[in-house]
Amino acid sequence: MPDVVREGVFFLKGKDFDNAGAASSEIKAVLEQMGVDRSIIRRAAIASFEAEMNVIIYTPAGILRYKIAPDYINVVFDDVGPGIEDVDLAMKEGYSTAPDFIRDMGFGSGMGLPNIKKNADELKISSQPGVGTNLEFIIHIKKINEAPGNS
Amino acid sequence: MKLQEIVDSLSLEVKTPSSDLTKEVTGGYVSDLLSDVIANSKEGHVWVTLQTHQNIVAVAALRELSGIILVNNKIPEPETLKKAEEEGIPIMVTSLPAFEIVGRLYALGLRCR
């Protein structure tokens, strides 16, 4: 397996909308520096942002860990609850358990997990109600340009 | 079409003074659901919405949108403007409702593609 070229860890605090998106924006910036294909950057940024927002919206806290290697991006989210009762149902577009104030902000439309699935090459979710959720996705990088920093 | 031309034609109020209005606008998208914008808007689109909180800037930066137009004289939150200046996302306000402003953007030649 090729060496990891960059990794990072973010602590995500529930309802901390001030810092929401910081992790996915770092992942996007790193991929841009590496000169990764734009469509891959877009997919990685969308999947990371949606998963990051899920932790911030629905859980008290969580940790995001990312690894970027020459041929893949791996992002792992571990949170401390409340867990997802029915993962298959949560994967259905339009299904949401979001409270009204979250919906008023334009979140919680039931598109987050489907958006992650659409943009990731591999997605694994395991959840234990009352304990927490582990979500991990991988996006394959097919080609890296030789000249970085051309964004 | 440059953002400046749209600002002038539709008398939009620019809320981010340091904005680069020479940005090229490739089209437009209208939605108040953030995941919908993330999934369906395209790079260079101008985004019409009534959401005013700071996470709209993260969405626009993520999708590399050319700017955000707030409808119905919505007042952006101070944190939203601060973030928008940092990220280089122009925020503009119109007194018109979404239906009207989108109609005018369409009449200027913008499409959702």
Side-chain angles (χ1 to χ4, degrees), chain B residues 57-98:
Chain B
V57 177
V59 169
L62 182 84
R63 295 305 271 117
E64 297 177 18
L65 305 180
S66 52
I68 304 171
I69 301 175
L70 304 181
V71 299
N72 284 340
N73 269 331
K74 289 273 179 186
I75 300 165
E77 290 161 21
E79 296 76 23
T80 306
L81 293 179
K82 187 168 166 275
K83 255 203 176 134
E85 297 270 17
E86 284 166 13
E87 297 278 349
I89 301 291
I91 293 191
M92 296 142 289
V93 174
T94 176
S95 57
L96 298 171

Side-chain angles (χ1 to χ4, degrees), chain B residues 9-90:
Chain B
S9 308
L10 304 180
S11 304
L12 304 177
E13 189 188 341
V14 179
K15 291 288 194 183
T16 44
S18 67
S19 290
D20 175 16
L21 300 180
T22 64
K23 282 190 186 190
E24 193 66 28
V25 180
T26 58
Y29 200 75
V30 54
S31 180
D32 302 319
L33 298 179
L34 305 195
S35 285
D36 175 39
V37 178
I38 291 168
N40 298 315
S41 67
K42 299 212 166 59
E43 186 183 337
H45 276 181
V46 65
W47 172 22
V48 177
T49 185
L50 54 69
Q51 298 290 355
T52 57
H53 59 80
Q54 58 183 308
N55 300 116
I56 60 173
V57 177
V59 169
L62 182 84
R63 295 305 271 117
E64 297 177 18
L65 305 180
S66 52
I68 304 171
I69 301 175
L70 304 181
V71 299
N72 284 340
N73 269 331
K74 289 273 179 186
I75 300 165
E77 290 161 21
E79 296 76 23
T80 306
L81 293 179
K82 187 168 166 275
K83 255 203 176 134
E85 297 270 17
E86 284 166 13
E87 297 278 349
I89 301 291

Side-chain angles (χ1 to χ4, degrees), chain A residues 79-147:
Chain A
D79 69 55
V80 296
I84 303 168
E85 292 281 347
D86 185 337
V87 173
D88 289 341
L89 189 57
M91 291 304 298
K92 286 205 173 124
E93 199 156 308
Y95 177 81
S96 174
T97 58
D100 284 349
F101 84 96
I102 291 292
R103 290 175 195 256
D104 287 347
M105 290 175 76
F107 293 114
S109 56
M111 292 176 70
L113 288 174
N115 268 358
I116 298 169
K117 193 176 179 195
K118 266 180 227 161
N119 286 287
D121 290 314
E122 296 170 38
L123 171 65
K124 275 188 288 189
I125 302 175
S126 57
S127 190
Q128 214 179 329
V131 179
T133 299
N134 166 275
L135 182 151
E136 174 171 4
F137 68 79
I138 291 173
I139 294 175
H140 303 301
I141 301 176
K142 281 152 201 104
K143 194 182 71 181
I144 296 180
N145 295 339
E146 289 303 313

